[in-house]
Amino acid sequence: MLMLEIHTKLLIADTTEILDAFVENGLHREYSIYCQFPHCDNVTQKLVQRNEPADIEFNDGYIFNRKN
């Protein structure tokens, strides 16, 4: 279930490559991201290492939510 605030800006990633591009370009700082695929550790690990905020939900229900 997608748990977004009413005025949230949302990007949709349909592949891991697109999610990687969103993160590499810093779009995760301004937009919530919904992934049309199950959770993958590689991107969330990058965000944990960088200690950056992000709001990413995967279609298997996994939510990575780190606020500023």
Side-chain angles (χ1 to χ4, degrees):
M1 175 197 297
L2 192 60
M3 304 295 287
L4 299 173
E5 295 178 20
I6 293 174
H7 300 289
T8 300
K9 298 176 188 176
L10 178 67
L11 296 174
I12 297 176
D14 58 353
T15 66
T16 57
E17 291 82 11
I18 292 174
L19 177 58
D20 283 333
F22 288 164
V23 171
E24 290 303 315
N25 289 303
L27 296 174
H28 63 285
R29 295 182 199 115
E30 296 181 36
Y31 296 90
S32 293
I33 301 172
Y34 179 76
C35 301
Q36 295 179 330
F37 51 87
H39 173 247
C40 58
D41 281 330
N42 63 339
V43 174
T44 54
Q45 283 299 88
K46 287 180 193 176
L47 294 169
V48 167
Q49 290 172 353
R50 294 179 186 176
N51 198 28
E52 294 187 358
D55 184 15
I56 303 172
E57 183 172 342
F58 295 85
N59 75 349
D60 62 358
Y62 181 86
I63 298 172
F64 179 87
N65 188 316
R66 174 177 280 167
K67 301 286 183 185
N68 289 346

